């Protein structure tokens, strides 16, 4: 005898469920990497000017 409570039934994943799953796992890695590189470039420029000013003052 088959117990109806323990049998597995296939479930459908709707487009809304798939979109919600994508939204939950989405991380904008490219945008974050671009922002980090932009900050690093800004620091390089800032320290370059800073050390030039120190050299000029000495």
């Amino acid at each position: 005898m088959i117990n109806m409570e323990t049998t597995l039934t296939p479930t459908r994943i709707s487009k809304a469920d798939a979109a919600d799953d994508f939204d939950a796992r989405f991380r904008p890695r490219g945008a974050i990497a671009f922002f980090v590189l932009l900050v690093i470039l800004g620091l390089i420029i800032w320290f370059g000017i800073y050390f030039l000013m120190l050299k000029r003052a000495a």
Side-chain angles (χ1 to χ4, degrees):
M1 182 177 238
I2 297 175
N3 186 353
M4 294 304 286
E5 293 177 18
T6 59
T7 58
L8 298 175
T9 57
T11 58
R12 287 190 171 211
I13 298 175
S14 68
K15 287 184 180 180
D17 291 338
D20 289 342
D21 185 45
F22 176 77
D23 289 343
R25 291 185 296 120
F26 177 72
R27 299 291 179 264
R29 285 180 251 130
I32 293 170
F34 175 76
F35 181 72
V36 168
L37 290 174
L38 192 64
V39 168
I40 291 171
L41 178 65
L43 287 173
I44 290 170
I45 293 171
W46 191 86
F47 277 111
I49 294 171
Y50 176 73
F51 288 124
L52 283 173
M53 297 290 278
L54 283 178
K55 189 189 301 185
R56 189 179 259 189

